Amino acid sequence: MRHFTFVLLLIIARAGVSAELRGWQGPNSMSSVKFAPPGAAITVMNQTPRVLVALVAGNDGRVSNFFLDLDQQPQHCRGPFAISSTGLFPAGAPITLINQTPRIFVALVVGDNGAVSDFFLDLDQQPVRWQGPFAISPPGFAAPGTPITLMNQTPRVLVALVVGNNGAVSNFFLDLDQQRQRWQGPFAISAPKFASPGTAITITKQTERVLVALVVGNNGAVSNFFLDLDQQPVRWQGPFGISPTNLFPAGGRITLMNQTPRVLVALIAGNNGAVSNFFLDLDHQPVRWLGPSRISSTNLFPAGARIALTNQTPRVLVALVAGNDGRLSNFFVDLDMHQPVHWQGPFPPNGLLSSLFLTTLNNWVYAMDAQNGSEFWSKQLVDSDRNARPLPRPISVSATPAIDIPGHRLYVVFSTTNRQVDSTATPCANSKIPPNPQPNPPCNLYEDQLAKLDVAYWLVALDYHNGNDVEL
């Protein structure tokens, strides 16, 4: 519990917060109407630094591609160009796309016949065009449109993970140094009925030589698999449960990324409607996943809701998720905040918050929810030269901060010092300070304290959404 000796309070009643969208233009139609089902999954990536390519499965059961060539005038997306026959793939089926090499692209998709098929595009093979589909599994292996997780195992090996119709997690791999080049698999890495057919699998690199995958099994627990390329024989190991059972929906989506180069973080919405996080710190012994830790109240979000997670800055992560009320909310974690580092949020997108700002004598500024007292953010204001003046001056934040609502800023005056002066110190006998009535008083060098005192006053501007410094 924090103890406040003296607090200044400011309240903004339902202050409006808005994001300015600068430069976005659209929507611009690039296909005919009814080309694809509403909400169809579209996969897009750079074909070259100046060409973008997008793949989508249309209502006619064909996979088609669009492209945008930034050097071709007028600049606009061209397509759709069918790269398969009709009636082969579920409309809107998710397509996984990755570089096989810098000049070759590969795409994987599960067709209506339940087989995993691949397409490829070789930029050095004339004419440049997509080739496929080529089946890499038996028919009936997976549910049509099952999501496939695909990434580089090494620069020369691709790996794909998928949950088949038997409920087992299986992997495929493509080794570019193994002749003849072809996808191999499926190879089961879990028992049958471990997960629901079509379950999404999240995969990333734990280190350059270790891959980790997370999945919610039929028992409602989050489990992880890992592949250590330096551990012989090289094979996927798992599943290892990292949560109690029945906490999460079977097949629930997990969002996974690096919080730092040595820490992984995963977010998931549980059966109780709360968002929870797991983390794996490679420098914390024993190395193991920790969590789940709830970062929101219950009953706010659909179980298994999609969560988008990315870096806002190298030291700030932001997550977006749509709640049960249809509103988009965000969470963020600032790795430079005072300990303990923790996720903050959720914050509604329209910024209609009753906000309470608190400033303390120790140069701390707090933003709180005036309705429930939860903390939005907090920050200690410090000197630009912490070696010269490392301390907050007593009764430091002595002026009421000013709020600039249009500029989304909070202006705060504070002060720092190199030492705390003892105002009760006994003066020296030869001091100009009135003498102490006691006989032979000790000398506490009060005047020396004043002579060596260094005090600085500062004016800062903070973004009142997150407490980040902004330019005055």
Side-chain angles (χ1 to χ4, degrees), residues 257-260 310-318 332-336 466 468-469:
M257 72 174 290
N258 280 89
Q259 180 171 313
T260 69
T310 190
N311 280 96
Q312 181 173 317
T313 70
R315 301 285 294 169
V316 178
L317 278 67
V318 62
F332 76 91
V333 61
D334 186 342
L335 302 181
D336 294 320
N466 50 33
N468 291 339
D469 291 310

Side-chain angles (χ1 to χ4, degrees), residues 102-165:
R103 302 286 293 172
I104 299 177
F105 297 84
V106 62
L108 299 182
V109 59
V110 180
D112 285 330
N113 66 350
V116 177
S117 293
D118 83 299
F119 297 81
F120 75 90
L121 174 68
D122 187 337
L123 301 180
D124 296 318
Q125 185 173 325
Q126 297 299 322
V128 176
R129 62 181 181 84
W130 284 93
Q131 300 184 57
F134 306 102
I136 64 172
S137 80
F141 166 72
T146 291
I148 302 171
T149 303
L150 175 63
M151 73 173 297
N152 281 92
Q153 181 171 315
T154 69
R156 301 287 293 170
V157 178
L158 298 179
V159 62
L161 297 181
V162 61
V163 177
N165 281 327

Side-chain angles (χ1 to χ4, degrees), residues 111-292:
D112 285 330
N113 66 350
V116 177
S117 293
D118 83 299
F119 297 81
F120 75 90
L121 174 68
D122 187 337
L123 301 180
D124 296 318
Q125 185 173 325
Q126 297 299 322
V128 176
R129 62 181 181 84
W130 284 93
Q131 300 184 57
F134 306 102
I136 64 172
S137 80
F141 166 72
T146 291
I148 302 171
T149 303
L150 175 63
M151 73 173 297
N152 281 92
Q153 181 171 315
T154 69
R156 301 287 293 170
V157 178
L158 298 179
V159 62
L161 297 181
V162 61
V163 177
N165 281 327
N166 66 351
V169 177
S170 294
N171 85 102
F172 299 79
F173 74 90
L174 174 65
D175 187 337
L176 301 181
D177 295 319
Q178 185 173 327
Q179 301 301 323
R180 66 185 169 92
Q181 285 183 8
R182 63 182 182 86
W183 284 94
Q184 300 185 57
F187 305 102
I189 63 173
S190 79
K193 300 182 180 180
F194 165 73
S196 302
T199 289
I201 302 171
T202 305
I203 187 171
T204 192
K205 286 194 175 183
Q206 182 172 316
T207 67
E208 281 303 310
R209 302 287 293 171
V210 178
L211 278 67
V212 62
L214 299 182
V215 61
V216 182
N218 283 328
N219 63 354
V222 175
S223 294
N224 85 101
F225 298 80
F226 74 90
L227 175 67
D228 186 337
L229 301 179
D230 295 319
Q231 185 172 328
Q232 299 298 324
V234 176
R235 63 181 181 85
W236 284 93
Q237 299 184 58
F240 306 101
I242 63 173
S243 82
T245 59
N246 301 315
L247 290 188
F248 304 99
R253 302 175 186 89
I254 304 171
T255 303
L256 174 63
M257 72 174 290
N258 280 89
Q259 180 171 313
T260 69
R262 301 284 295 169
V263 178
L264 297 179
V265 62
L267 299 181
I268 181 173
N271 289 329
N272 62 356
V275 174
S276 294
N277 87 102
F278 298 81
F279 73 92
L280 175 67
D281 187 339
L282 300 180
D283 295 319
H284 186 157
Q285 298 299 323
V287 176
R288 63 184 180 88
W289 284 93
L290 299 172

Side-chain angles (χ1 to χ4, degrees), residues 425-436 443 445-448 450:
T426 304
C428 299
N430 61 354
S431 170
K432 296 179 182 179
I433 305 295
N436 191 299
C443 181
L445 303 180
Y446 183 81
E447 290 175 303
D448 285 348
L450 295 179

